[in-house]
Amino acid sequence: MTESMAKPKAKGTSRASKPRKSATKSKSPPKAGAKAKPGAEAKRATGKAASRLIDERVRSLGGWRAETLAEVRRIIHEADPDIMEEWKWMGTPVWSHAGNVCTGEAYKQVVKLTFARGASLEDPRGLFNSSLEGNTRRAIDIREERCSMLRRSRP
């Protein structure tokens, strides 16, 4: 078929004129008594449910990362007995008190504590990593060799 023989496009059928689908779907609130979808608890939980999920995460990690995350958790609770444990962002332990204080994530080489307002904290020992995301958050990367330092900090 040659160009001159091609069928002309009907008016209003170009891509630009078609209505776009919304990137986000608006969800209406669940009806009273409705059951949550499976796995919904794992997306966001507070209190005892979050503590249970964090316990499970620590157990699942095993080794130095489990030991480190458990010890950091103990230190956080010792420093602020009123801190709340939460489970957010599909599997991130969060500690909050009148807002997010820090998150605790375990990676292959580090256990990372990210402080929501870390950039505003003094750091005389140089514990925080040097990156400042948006001049707000900063993190402490705890590596396996630093794990023994945490154990020695116990009373």
Side-chain angles (χ1 to χ4, degrees), residues 5 45 75 96 107 124 140:
M5 296 176 66
I75 292 168
S96 62
Y107 298 98
I140 297 173

Side-chain angles (χ1 to χ4, degrees), residues 92-155:
T92 303
V94 178
W95 290 275
S96 62
H97 188 141
N100 289 348
V101 174
C102 71
T103 64
E105 299 169 276
Y107 298 98
K108 187 175 180 179
Q109 301 294 321
V110 299
V111 171
K112 182 181 286 286
L113 294 177
T114 304
F115 290 82
R117 305 280 183 256
S120 65
L121 300 173
E122 291 185 25
D123 188 20
R125 292 186 178 177
L127 296 175
F128 287 109
N129 61 23
S130 59
S131 70
L132 292 174
E133 296 174 22
N135 295 326
T136 305
R137 296 185 302 264
R138 269 199 304 194
I140 297 173
D141 294 336
I142 304 169
R143 299 184 184 285
E144 187 171 7
E145 54 273 8
R146 282 181 119 177
C147 194
S148 61
M149 290 173 28
L150 279 175
R151 282 188 294 253
R152 286 192 302 235
S153 71
R154 284 187 178 182

Side-chain angles (χ1 to χ4, degrees), residues 6-142:
K7 288 185 183 179
K9 280 189 172 180
K11 278 191 171 181
T13 61
S14 73
R15 281 186 151 193
S17 65
K18 289 184 181 179
R20 296 183 62 166
K21 291 183 181 180
S22 174
T24 58
K25 290 185 178 183
S26 61
K27 294 182 181 180
S28 56
K31 295 179 181 175
K35 291 183 179 179
K37 290 181 182 178
E41 179 186 3
K43 289 183 181 176
R44 184 178 181 114
T46 59
K48 289 182 181 181
S51 293
R52 182 179 48 77
L53 290 166
I54 295 170
D55 288 342
E56 289 174 15
R57 168 63 51 84
V58 169
R59 277 193 299 276
S60 73
L61 288 171
W64 72 270
R65 295 180 309 153
E67 185 180 323
T68 302
L69 189 57
E71 183 62 13
V72 164
R73 185 183 189 192
R74 182 195 68 75
I75 292 168
I76 290 169
H77 281 283
E78 184 180 292
D80 182 358
D82 295 328
I83 203 141
M84 163 94 63
E85 290 191 325
E86 298 179 84
W87 186 262
K88 294 182 180 181
W89 308 298
M90 295 186 297
T92 303
V94 178
W95 290 275
S96 62
H97 188 141
N100 289 348
V101 174
C102 71
T103 64
E105 299 169 276
Y107 298 98
K108 187 175 180 179
Q109 301 294 321
V110 299
V111 171
K112 182 181 286 286
L113 294 177
T114 304
F115 290 82
R117 305 280 183 256
S120 65
L121 300 173
E122 291 185 25
D123 188 20
R125 292 186 178 177
L127 296 175
F128 287 109
N129 61 23
S130 59
S131 70
L132 292 174
E133 296 174 22
N135 295 326
T136 305
R137 296 185 302 264
R138 269 199 304 194
I140 297 173
D141 294 336
I142 304 169

